[in-house]
Amino acid sequence: MTAGSRLRIISVVGARPNFVKLAPVAHALARRAGVEHLIVHTGQHYDALMSDAFFADLEIPAPTVNLEVGSASHAKQTAAVMERFEDTCLALEPDWVLVYGDVNSTAAAALVAVKLGIKTAHVEAGLRSHDRSMPEEHNRIVADHLADLLFTPSRDAVATLRGEGIPLERIEFVGNVMIDTLIRLRGKAKGGAARLGLPERGFVLVTLHRPGNVDDPAVLGTICQGLSALARERPVVFPVHPRTRQRLAEPALAQALAGVRLVDPVPYLDMLSLIESAALVVTDSGGVQEETTFLGVPCLTVRPNTERPITVTEGTNRLVGPGEIVGAARRALGDPRGAGPGSAGPRSAPVIERWDGKAGERIAEVLCDGKQYK
Ligand code: UD1
């Protein structure tokens, strides 16, 4: 404990999906007397549309510190977070460091904190794609094996960690923080489709940013052709991540996307509203797989694997190859069940254990009250 015996907790976040996961933890900790919760932003994402817009929509307090690491190669970015975050830890002397998700900032901050002997917790632990070509997979493994405390979003993640030899004492099955945010803000997330002039439940929403999909022009070209074919049948809207935007500067790729409506990255509330109004989502994002499953919106994930298998076994998610998008989309859009796209009726969504809006509160209970969630 620090001076005045307040529990000082630092949350480290760096990239867009981290902010969504931080929000419910920040709100739960803010309700606690005797807790000082500080936010350190690594600056991995720095564009207003990738960062500030999220802090505003999610109502997260401004970061205490911004490490301003910016974009760089994996090693340089990770190293910059480590060097700068070490100084921050030495200055702020936290009792706990919380890291989120699977971005480079996550692994870097975990490594710094444990080496300083600071108790470290990983929020969204136990996810594995078993695909070592994904940078996120390295980050997940590092964070999980270093952290003292692992907060898992689903029961299968507990089994995964146990299978890697991590003792149950270190694991708390608290539920899904990303879904906490969705539940809290769903009522406010309205009108995204109308603002873009898109028909309710009559359009396809696309997000793509994984290096495996966008860095190889041949793969990206195949995906673009598929999306363009879909756009001949119904509107396709594509908020473009900066990484993808750079790749699409290639004229041949831009041409292959003919008919697809490209827009800037959208803030959280607009994105949630668009997901909920879409007939179908095509993505390679991790969080979007969970959000579509929770909302019962059909989702095609353009990847050979997922670290969130529950979205396939229990949810609406289907894995597809780059060349399979059109066929899979037509099948999904033609789903004759009432819950399918195009239907005005309610969509059926699975009920997944502890995807209930209370994960952030459970994390606060574990950290502050020593409560257990096994
Ligand atoms: C990162 C995460 C990824 C996560 C994604 C969410 C890693 C290894 N990857 O990927 O897991 O799903 O965030 O969006 O941590 N750029 C900008 N403005 C920004 C940020 C990035 O223009 O605010 C551009 C830069 O050219 C940069 C590129 O996007 O080089 C990639 O950014 P980076 O943070 O390295 O990885 P992401 O692809 O965003």
Side-chain angles (χ1 to χ4, degrees):
M1 294 282 238
T2 44
S5 88
R6 277 161 75 83
L7 188 69
R8 180 173 283 176
I9 300 174
I10 290 184
S11 282
V12 186
V13 288
R16 197 165 55 167
N18 288 168
F19 312 142
V20 185
K21 294 163 197 169
L22 161 69
V25 178
H27 295 137
L29 291 176
R31 290 192 289 269
R32 298 258 160 180
V35 173
E36 185 183 17
H37 180 231
L38 306 175
I39 296 169
V40 173
H41 190 324
T42 66
Q44 177 172 345
H45 282 175
Y46 44 86
D47 284 348
L49 286 176
M50 302 293 284
S51 180
D52 303 0
F54 278 70
F55 275 73
D57 269 7
L58 300 167
E59 297 155 332
I60 313 171
T64 307
V65 180
N66 191 320
L67 304 178
E68 295 181 351
V69 300
S71 302
S73 69
H74 287 280
K76 289 200 171 86
Q77 189 175 59
T78 305
V81 173
M82 287 186 68
E83 277 194 35
R84 296 176 198 189
F85 185 55
E86 184 178 57
D87 289 342
T88 306
C89 284
L90 292 172
L92 296 177
E93 299 186 342
D95 300 292
W96 279 98
V97 166
L98 308 188
V99 299
Y100 295 78
D102 56 13
V103 304
N104 285 346
S105 301
T106 312
L111 195 49
V112 169
V114 292
K115 282 186 182 290
L116 289 173
I118 302 166
K119 282 181 285 180
T120 306
H122 182 206
V123 179
E124 196 185 80
L127 303 190
R128 296 288 182 273
S129 65
H130 304 289
D131 178 351
R132 291 174 66 88
S133 71
M134 284 181 76
E136 292 81 3
E137 186 74 351
H138 318 148
N139 296 335
R140 293 181 196 115
I141 293 169
V142 167
D144 283 345
H145 283 263
L146 290 179
D148 301 278
L149 198 48
L150 304 174
F151 293 122
T152 66
S154 51
R155 211 172 267 293
D156 58 326
V158 178
T160 299
L161 294 170
R162 297 287 291 123
E164 292 181 10
I166 294 178
L168 193 57
E169 300 86 79
R170 278 170 58 199
I171 307 170
E172 300 293 341
F173 167 34
V174 293
N176 191 322
V177 281
M178 198 158 229
I179 298 301
D180 280 16
T181 297
L182 184 157
I183 291 172
R184 181 172 69 92
L185 292 175
R186 191 177 178 185
K188 270 186 154 183
K190 301 279 175 222
R195 276 191 288 283
L196 290 173
L198 295 162
E200 192 68 18
R201 302 238 181 140
F203 66 95
V204 177
L205 173 67
V206 178
T207 83
L208 295 166
H209 72 284
R210 298 263 163 223
N213 282 331
V214 307
D215 286 1
D216 178 343
V219 174
L220 185 54
T222 304
I223 294 173
C224 290
Q225 282 161 12
L227 296 176
S228 183
L230 280 185
R232 288 195 280 276
E233 297 167 14
R234 67 187 72 214
V236 176
V237 66
F238 185 177
V240 187
H241 185 285
R243 173 190 283 277
T244 313
R245 175 76 70 182
Q246 285 165 15
R247 308 296 180 230
L248 291 176
E250 171 65 38
L253 287 174
Q255 225 167 2
L257 261 185
V260 174
R261 185 147 162 217
L262 304 182
V263 297
D264 282 336
V266 288
Y268 179 79
L269 290 173
D270 278 351
M271 185 64 186
L272 180 53
S273 165
L274 284 174
I275 292 174
E276 199 159 6
S277 311
L280 173 73
V281 176
V282 178
T283 191
D284 58 11
S285 150
V288 173
Q289 295 173 50
E290 295 180 343
E291 289 159 344
T292 48
T293 274
F294 185 84
L295 295 169
V297 177
C299 178
L300 302 178
T301 296
V302 191
R303 285 178 44 190
N305 48 55
T306 175
E307 62 290 334
R308 293 162 163 90
I310 205 167
T311 61
V312 175
T313 54
E314 296 194 33
T316 52
N317 190 21
R318 301 289 171 266
L319 301 180
V320 295
E324 295 167 347
I325 294 172
V326 180
R330 286 188 184 137
R331 275 193 299 283
L333 289 163
D335 186 342
R337 289 171 301 179
S343 140
R347 286 160 157 164
S348 61
V351 176
I352 297 181
E353 192 181 2
R354 296 189 191 163
W355 289 25
D356 58 0
K358 298 177 186 154
E361 184 53 35
R362 292 191 189 100
I363 288 173
E365 287 172 354
V366 172
L367 293 172
C368 306
D369 310 333
K371 202 161 168 181
Q372 296 194 346
Y373 284 100
K374 300 301 175 189

